[in-house]
Amino acid sequence: MSCGQPHETPCTEILDHLYEYIDNEMPEEDCAAFKRHLDECQPCLEKYGLDAMVKKLVQRCCGCDEPPVDLRDKVLARIRHVRGEVAVSGSGE
Ligand SMILES: [Zn+2]
Ligand SMILES: [Zn+2]
């Protein structure tokens, strides 16, 4: 669950507070560290992007607790599509 790179803020901490960030419940100073981490860390960025997108879509269209399965699939497909366009260089040892 880590990209193998050293981070100022550990991935576990980022993932623990992911929803605070998405809900804008995070203090300003922590947000900066969060953003920096997401810049460096592909696995966390992906998790954040997925959760934030699902949450936004769900709030907008139905306001229910659980995202519909096909909606989640669509979001996942969209993320894969976007990632395919952003070519990642290097094999990341
Ligand atoms: Zn991370
Ligand atoms: Zn990382």
Side-chain angles (χ1 to χ4, degrees):
M1 199 57 189
S2 136
C3 65
Q5 286 174 38
H7 299 299
E8 246 174 79
T9 315
C11 290
T12 48
E13 211 156 300
I14 295 296
L15 297 173
D16 269 0
H17 297 283
L18 202 54
Y19 279 94
E20 284 166 49
Y21 185 72
I22 291 170
D23 291 336
N24 292 316
E25 285 167 3
M26 190 172 273
E28 192 84 15
E29 61 201 78
D30 291 350
C31 276
F34 218 94
K35 267 187 210 146
R36 209 176 310 131
H37 187 104
L38 293 179
D39 261 2
E40 307 170 336
C41 190
Q42 189 68 29
C44 287
L45 179 65
E46 235 169 272
K47 180 86 172 83
Y48 161 71
L50 180 63
D51 286 358
M53 214 185 289
V54 168
K55 193 180 160 72
K56 227 179 263 176
L57 287 173
V58 167
Q59 274 177 347
R60 198 189 304 159
C61 45
C62 52
C64 56
D65 293 333
E66 291 282 318
V69 172
D70 69 322
L71 174 64
R72 204 178 162 90
D73 281 351
K74 269 180 211 158
V75 173
L76 276 169
R78 175 84 193 135
I79 286 172
R80 268 190 222 110
H81 179 73
V82 169
R83 279 195 73 196
E85 285 172 356
V86 184
V88 183
S89 59
S91 54
E93 233 338 270

